[in-house]
Amino acid sequence: MTHQYPALTTEQKKELQDIAERIVAPGKGILAADESVGSMAKRLNQIGVENTEENRRLYRQLLFTADERIDSCIGGVIFFHETMYQNTDDGTPFVQLIRDRGIVVGIKVDKGVVPLAGTDGETTTQGLDGLSERCAQYKKDGADFAKWRCVLKISENTPSQVAIMENANVLARYASICQQNGIVPIVEPEILPDGDHDLKRCQYITEKVLAAVYKALSDHHVYLEGTLLKPNMVTSGHACPTKYESQEIAMATVTALRRTVPPAVTGVTFLSGGQSEEEASVNLNAINTCPLGKPWALTFSYGRALQASALSAWRGQKDNETAATEEFIKRAEVNGLAAQGKYVFSGEDSGAAGQSLYVANHAY
Amino acid sequence: PSLCSIKDSLERRVSQLTIHSIGTSSVSLALHSFCQVVLATVKMTHQFNSLTKEQKRELQDTARRIVAPGKGILAADESVGSMAKRLTQIGVENTEENRRLYRQLLFSADERIDDCIGGVIFFHETLYQKADDGVPFIKMIKDRGIVVGIKVDKGIVPLAGTNGETTTQGLDGLSDRCAQYKKDGADFAKWRCVLKISDTTPSKLSISENANVLARYASICQQNGIVPIVEPEILPDGDHDLKRCQYVTEKVLAAVYKAMSDHHVYLEGTLLKPNMVTPGHSCPTKYSPEEIAVATITALRRTVPPAIAGVTFLSGGQSEEEASVNLNAINNCQLSKPWPLTFSYGRALQASALNTWRGQKENASNATEEFIKRAKVNSLASLGKYITSGDNSGATAPSLYVANHAY
């Protein structure tokens, strides 16, 4: 392993890095609109809307037709395969609509989780077969980045060594293949918030998982400057009796990243997991005001946390479309501010709380 | 408790029970299954705190003091064998007294070095030597606010079945040695591993073995309040080009930091002492300091987590001026550098001093001046403020920023 066989030319590297930088330009983040048909079923069910292809099209349309106010907050949109080939009412392809406003188009390329036999309900993610050809096609069709989600969970026995190693490896394979096709890979090793573990436990595991991810990326010769990371924030489990402040979440999260994520990675785009819209924004803001050194962009790649109010306002009614779009624009703008640490909300007192936690960072 | 210790104690319990009970096959079977279950479940998901908050704080503070802005390390830890080479070159006999006199002229440099030197690495013998007036060297150094360090490895040994590759020994009793050094005044340590570039090296084994031993050393140091400097030196011997060195450096450092993670080392309380990324000594192509800087920073950016307290470069075979100019270029490099980038120089701080001294008492103060000169130059270089004649880093730096995709 002592000789380099360059995986990418200088031009390929430059293109990948430029795309990644555009997605996470200051104040910008990602709209994760890549819910599968199955996930959309859950969302639409909740608002009493039938899960048809047309309804999915109408719903994505109200997001994508948001006015120029989102151009300074949204750097990229992740599509689901079906959506890549849908059009607006007037026949404009969604991909073109998004690209024309300078927003980078992304595509979810994994094919879902599958069980790891012999583990305690753990999984890996499939989708590598023919991935190179699919990426080449998506690139032709207008996509410049991709997303692949791996899932790990915290319990008494998990995540196991094999789950950590296998998911890290499959993420690295996916990333390598994407880059060969001019596609920036977003690497998503999600550690679920399910459980009653505390903040420290989540931080510990996040550090172990991310260390394994970056070792795998190194082993697979992935060009880090042309990648993005989509991790969970470090939080306590949903059923944890202790409540933590957003500054504590921020400190734990940034500490974990500082210990594992090389500065060469262009940006970190957090997933929102089970967080509410406001929680996700407040936490992102706290992360960006955390006094520790943060050499990567720290922004959002939110699904539910950008869309919950929009969905609720829409309820499948044409007359509600504008109001629904407004809800989305509102969250986009808030998160654009949070990505710069500029989101001021009632109850905000990060000045004093931020100080004391800086001294306490040895506790992390 | 480790997996091994749990397994051992459970197996002991099972055998005890089978001896003392009647009709115990079902009991021992159940306990055996229990063993299996426990082994299967005690994976790596729980944290067993290796350090208290206070211990972490102390380690981080020590590390930061060493690499405070404008400061670097004087590596004065040459073994008796290494000193033999240095002293022979200037025609001085390699006696304990001569080694003492030599280190004395370095350590008695005046307050001008207090802003430039954050730490001094000692060799074991030197730790217990004194100045002419009877003041222990350790005290001299500590009293001026400079952190005392100690080389703790016991040299390289061959890795059988490889192409002349090595690992480094010294783990036996290391904890007790660290505890003693800490009592005696040391607050950091250094351990050097060596890798080399050739057609067949470094091999997978050499990379993983050296990374692992560095992580073990680091873990043990921290348990004793000692900040470990982790040194995975890739030798400049060979005719390889800059790209090759960069590639190998990236692979080696990735392995080092994975091992550090596996061994639960507290990164904020460590320092890294890497080689700069340079071409091999016999490489026909010459590279500018700016090219060396971009290659070096790029390699570090791809592998070194921001959490570490600082990077203190070794000078390897570089001349005094080369080592300063390169460090300066590194600090002027436009790429983002989230750790202090400074020096831990041996020869590159001492070559002129040695040459001036030549073992003569009357040359001692001039020799000390030479050392002070290099200390100040490197201090400036660590801030990117070293102006040399022929320096045109202002003009060349922007174009190299654009070209960083080539790395």
Side-chain angles (χ1 to χ4, degrees):
Chain A
M1 55 129 73
T2 75
H3 285 273
Q4 180 174 22
Y5 303 100
L8 300 163
T9 64
T10 306
E11 292 70 30
Q12 286 175 307
K13 286 183 183 178
K14 184 183 171 73
E15 191 201 2
L16 290 166
Q17 182 169 6
D18 286 352
I19 292 168
E21 286 180 345
R22 272 171 45 219
I23 296 169
V24 297
K28 295 189 183 182
I30 298 173
L31 163 63
D34 61 318
E35 295 85 355
S36 61
V37 174
S39 292
M40 279 313 288
K42 290 184 231 161
R43 309 270 176 273
L44 297 181
N45 226 330
Q46 272 190 307
I47 54 166
V49 174
E50 206 190 338
N51 187 25
T52 62
E53 195 179 331
E54 177 62 4
N55 280 342
R56 293 192 293 273
R57 186 191 73 80
L58 287 170
Y59 174 61
R60 266 64 181 258
Q61 177 172 253
L62 70 84
L63 295 174
F64 300 163
T65 50
D67 62 40
E68 71 286 340
R69 280 174 289 165
I70 67 159
D71 292 352
S72 50
C73 340
I74 302 293
V77 175
I78 317 179
F79 281 62
F80 177 61
H81 178 86
E82 171 189 80
T83 323
M84 282 283 288
Y85 306 103
Q86 286 179 326
N87 308 328
T88 59
D89 292 340
D90 66 13
T92 311
F94 281 157
V95 172
Q96 188 188 326
L97 186 62
I98 293 297
R99 279 184 72 112
D100 283 353
R101 41 202 315 189
I103 300 174
V104 189
V105 168
I107 174 72
K108 184 232 296 290
V109 297
D110 70 76
K111 294 190 172 183
V113 301
V114 290
L116 280 173
T119 66
D120 185 10
E122 295 179 289
T123 62
T124 180
T125 299
Q126 63 182 6
L128 292 181
D129 299 350
L131 179 59
S132 190
E133 288 77 12
R134 294 174 59 220
C135 281
Q137 186 61 51
Y138 285 134
K139 180 77 174 177
K140 278 211 200 88
D141 295 341
D144 286 308
F145 74 97
K147 184 210 105 177
W148 175 296
R149 177 173 176 258
C150 275
V151 181
L152 298 118
K153 61 171 184 167
I154 300 179
S155 74
E156 264 303 298
N157 322 320
T158 62
S160 65
Q161 280 256 38
V162 72
I164 292 176
M165 181 269 302
E166 163 58 26
N167 282 287
N169 192 63
V170 78
L171 280 167
R173 280 294 299 129
Y174 141 78
S176 165
I177 292 170
C178 281
Q179 292 193 329
Q180 290 300 297
N181 292 284
I183 298 256
V184 167
I186 296 190
V187 169
E188 180 178 355
E190 173 170 10
I191 300 161
L192 296 175
D194 305 27
D196 61 2
H197 52 273
D198 62 9
L199 190 69
K200 268 187 149 36
R201 182 104 187 277
C202 179
Q203 182 187 333
Y204 175 74
I205 288 170
T206 301
E207 288 174 12
K208 295 304 181 195
V209 167
L210 291 179
V213 167
Y214 282 98
K215 181 57 165 65
L217 290 176
S218 167
D219 291 344
H220 286 263
H221 316 301
V222 175
Y223 177 60
L224 293 187
E225 290 87 335
T227 64
L228 295 171
L229 176 70
K230 179 164 171 168
N232 49 284
M233 293 182 188
V234 172
T235 63
S236 50
H238 278 157
C240 178
T242 318
K243 292 302 157 214
Y244 297 88
E245 302 279 336
S246 59
Q247 286 91 345
E248 293 175 287
I249 284 168
M251 185 65 80
T253 302
V254 176
T255 300
L257 298 177
R258 281 170 54 76
R259 290 175 179 170
T260 54
V261 182
V265 169
T266 294
V268 176
T269 62
F270 293 99
L271 59 94
S272 47
Q275 300 182 43
S276 69
E277 288 175 326
E278 189 62 7
E279 237 184 314
S281 303
V282 167
N283 285 338
L284 180 62
N285 191 63
I287 281 169
N288 277 284
T289 54
C290 176
L292 299 175
K294 309 177 288 294
W296 345 255
L298 291 159
T299 183
F300 57 93
S301 175
Y302 289 168
R304 273 168 291 179
L306 272 171
Q307 303 176 53
S309 297
L311 265 165
S312 243
W314 179 48
R315 310 201 76 79
Q317 308 297 323
K318 197 167 169 62
D319 330 308
N320 295 342
E321 275 171 9
T322 324
T325 307
E326 270 309 304
E327 292 297 324
F328 164 58
I329 295 175
K330 254 195 332 218
R331 292 323 302 176
E333 290 183 317
V334 161
N335 286 307
L337 288 172
Q340 301 173 83
K342 293 180 178 172
Y343 178 41
V344 183
F345 49 93
S346 57
E348 159 84 349
D349 62 353
S350 67
Q355 285 285 76
S356 63
L357 279 160
Y358 179 59
V359 172
N361 80 337
H362 307 286
Y364 291 85
Chain B
S2 71
L3 223 48
C4 295
S5 74
I6 289 174
K7 182 172 182 292
D8 287 347
S9 78
L10 281 170
E11 284 178 349
R12 271 200 302 279
R13 284 314 193 95
V14 168
S15 53
Q16 280 170 353
L17 282 160
T18 47
I19 287 167
H20 295 292
S21 318
I22 304 156
T24 54
S25 56
S26 56
V27 173
S28 66
L29 251 175
L31 276 163
H32 221 52
S33 310
F34 177 63
C35 278
Q36 306 287 57
V37 170
V38 172
L39 282 174
T41 60
V42 179
K43 294 290 184 180
M44 49 129 66
T45 74
H46 286 273
Q47 181 171 23
F48 303 100
N49 282 317
S50 46
L51 299 164
T52 64
K53 212 191 315 182
E54 292 69 31
Q55 285 174 308
K56 286 183 182 178
R57 194 202 169 92
E58 189 201 359
L59 289 166
Q60 184 170 10
D61 286 351
T62 301
R64 283 179 170 171
R65 273 172 43 221
I66 296 169
V67 296
K71 295 190 182 183
I73 298 173
L74 163 63
D77 62 317
E78 296 86 353
S79 61
V80 175
S82 291
M83 279 312 289
K85 291 185 229 162
R86 308 271 176 272
L87 298 181
T88 312
Q89 271 190 305
I90 55 167
V92 175
E93 206 191 336
N94 187 26
T95 62
E96 193 177 335
E97 176 63 3
N98 280 341
R99 293 192 293 273
R100 186 192 71 82
L101 286 170
Y102 174 61
R103 266 65 180 260
Q104 176 173 253
L105 71 82
L106 295 175
F107 300 161
S108 51
D110 60 39
E111 71 285 339
R112 280 175 289 164
I113 66 159
D114 292 352
D115 295 332
C116 322
I117 303 293
V120 174
I121 317 178
F122 281 63
F123 177 61
H124 177 89
E125 170 192 82
T126 322
L127 212 56
Y128 304 103
Q129 285 180 325
K130 312 180 154 87
D132 290 341
D133 61 10
V135 177
F137 282 157
I138 273 198
K139 186 170 196 306
M140 276 175 80
I141 294 298
K142 274 186 89 123
D143 282 354
R144 46 206 307 194
I146 300 173
V147 189
V148 167
I150 173 71
K151 185 232 297 287
V152 297
D153 71 75
K154 295 191 169 184
I156 58 179
V157 292
L159 279 173
T162 65
N163 186 9
E165 295 179 291
T166 63
T167 180
T168 298
Q169 61 181 7
L171 291 181
D172 298 350
L174 180 59
S175 188
D176 294 339
R177 294 174 58 219
C178 282
Q180 186 60 51
Y181 285 135
K182 180 79 175 174
K183 276 209 201 91
D184 295 339
D187 287 306
F188 75 96
K190 184 211 104 181
W191 174 295
R192 177 173 178 260
C193 275
V194 180
L195 298 116
K196 62 172 184 168
I197 299 178
S198 75
D199 226 70
T200 54
T201 62
S203 65
K204 245 187 113 142
L205 172 65
S206 145
I207 293 177
S208 73
E209 164 58 27
N210 281 288
N212 191 63
V213 79
L214 279 167
R216 280 293 298 130
Y217 141 78
S219 166
I220 291 169
C221 281
Q222 292 193 329
Q223 290 300 297
N224 291 284
I226 299 257
V227 168
I229 296 188
V230 171
E231 181 178 355
E233 173 169 11
I234 300 161
L235 296 175
D237 305 26
D239 61 2
H240 53 272
D241 63 7
L242 188 69
K243 266 187 150 35
R244 182 98 188 281
C245 179
Q246 183 186 331
Y247 175 74
V248 172
T249 302
E250 289 175 12
K251 294 306 182 193
V252 168
L253 291 178
V256 167
Y257 284 99
K258 181 57 165 68
M260 303 273 270
S261 167
D262 292 344
H263 286 264
H264 316 300
V265 176
Y266 176 60
L267 294 187
E268 290 86 337
T270 66
L271 295 168
L272 176 70
K273 180 165 172 168
N275 49 283
M276 292 181 190
V277 173
T278 63
H281 277 158
S282 28
C283 177
T285 316
K286 291 302 158 214
Y287 297 87
S288 66
E290 288 75 30
E291 289 174 294
I292 283 169
V294 176
T296 302
I297 302 280
T298 301
L300 298 177
R301 279 170 54 75
R302 289 175 179 169
T303 54
V304 182
I308 75 157
V311 177
T312 61
F313 293 100
L314 59 93
S315 47
Q318 297 181 45
S319 68
E320 289 176 326
E321 189 63 7
E322 235 182 318
S324 303
V325 166
N326 286 338
L327 180 63
N328 190 59
I330 281 169
N331 277 284
N332 279 304
C333 178
Q334 300 289 312
L335 298 172
S336 153
K337 312 176 285 292
W339 343 256
L341 292 156
T342 183
F343 57 93
S344 175
Y345 290 168
R347 274 169 289 179
L349 272 171
Q350 302 177 53
S352 297
L354 265 164
N355 244 339
T356 305
W357 180 49
R358 307 200 77 79
Q360 307 298 319
K361 198 173 166 63
E362 7 357 317
N363 294 342
S365 45
N366 284 339
T368 307
E369 270 310 303
E370 291 297 321
F371 163 58
I372 295 174
K373 252 193 334 215
R374 288 328 297 176
K376 286 161 71 79
V377 161
N378 285 308
S379 168
L380 288 172
S382 78
L383 297 166
K385 293 183 179 168
Y386 177 42
I387 313 217
T388 62
S389 55
D391 176 56
N392 57 352
S393 65
T396 57
S399 63
L400 277 161
Y401 179 59
V402 173
N404 79 336
H405 306 287
Y407 289 84

